Amino acid sequence: MNEKSFYLSKKRTNLIIFMCVLAALVLFAFAFLAWMNPDGQGAVPLILVALLVLGCIPMISTVTEDAGAIITVTDEGVRFTVGLVPWEDLYSVHLYRNNVHTYIVFITLDDAKYEENFSSQNASFVYDWLRSEGIPVFSFDYHHLNNRKELLQTLMDYGVAVYDVKGRPVKHERGEVS
């Protein structure tokens, strides 16, 4: 059985952690400037917010380390964190650009069929929001995935139509899966 797993990008995680540290340093600098002010007001809230931002770093690291495979491509279909979508239900894959973000969108024949997979409170909230916005429920930030191009090639190996951000079919560079 062929199986390929795709994870969150470590570069993006490290970038988010770096931005948290940078934001905390800026907040500490503003707190120092506020403390140097003759009335000294405003330093405590800035320090508390900076500590809160620094406190998010271990949580971000833990969540991304424990996330496991976000997408797994198997002979049965594509397995997401919420369940398996068989090949016969997967219609196509599109790259969609919204401002500066690019999303990979998996178009299924019937998204409502997978509603029971989104049973936890957070997943249910995300499912309801995506459906109300008209966005397919199997959508991810494309740049947060590791080995993005390999994912697209693997999907094309299984015969899934993949389209770029301009709606053009992506060129298939490898042979069929044996």
Side-chain angles (χ1 to χ4, degrees):
M1 179 166 107
N2 293 327
E3 183 173 300
K4 288 189 180 180
S5 296
F6 299 91
Y7 299 88
L8 289 173
S9 171
K10 299 292 182 201
K11 283 184 185 177
R12 289 288 173 154
T13 302
N14 292 338
L15 179 64
I16 291 169
I17 290 171
F18 173 75
M19 295 303 288
C20 286
V21 170
L22 188 64
L25 289 174
V26 167
L27 287 168
F28 281 130
F30 280 119
F32 179 74
L33 291 174
W35 178 70
M36 294 296 290
N37 193 5
D39 61 3
Q41 300 232 342
V44 173
L46 288 171
I47 290 172
L48 291 176
V49 171
L51 291 173
L52 178 69
V53 170
L54 285 176
C56 291
I57 292 172
M59 182 185 73
I60 292 169
S61 297
T62 303
V63 167
T64 55
E65 290 295 323
D66 295 343
I70 300 301
I71 300 171
T72 303
V73 179
T74 68
D75 291 336
E76 300 166 354
V78 180
R79 183 173 306 283
F80 300 96
T81 54
V82 294
L84 176 75
V85 175
W87 290 117
E88 55 269 8
D89 288 351
L90 189 60
Y91 181 71
S92 64
V93 174
H94 294 260
L95 296 179
Y96 171 72
R97 181 166 290 146
N98 182 7
N99 296 329
V100 295
H101 295 285
T102 302
Y103 298 94
I104 183 168
V105 178
F106 294 81
I107 308 294
T108 60
L109 295 177
D110 183 17
D111 279 349
K113 181 178 177 181
Y114 300 99
E115 184 174 1
E116 69 276 358
N117 294 349
F118 294 87
S119 59
S120 73
Q121 184 177 2
N122 289 340
S124 178
F125 172 75
V126 170
Y127 176 84
D128 291 341
W129 178 79
L130 289 170
R131 295 291 289 167
S132 69
E133 294 293 319
I135 302 169
V137 294
F138 297 107
S139 305
F140 301 93
D141 191 326
Y142 182 63
H143 295 291
H144 286 185
L145 290 172
N146 217 6
N147 302 328
R148 299 179 293 269
K149 291 183 180 179
E150 183 181 346
L151 171 62
L152 297 180
Q153 288 298 322
T154 303
L155 291 169
M156 287 186 284
D157 288 346
Y158 281 98
V160 176
V162 178
Y163 299 93
D164 66 10
V165 293
K166 295 183 179 178
R168 299 177 302 213
V170 174
K171 183 180 177 188
H172 189 244
E173 297 176 2
R174 294 193 306 227
E176 293 296 316
V177 175
S178 54

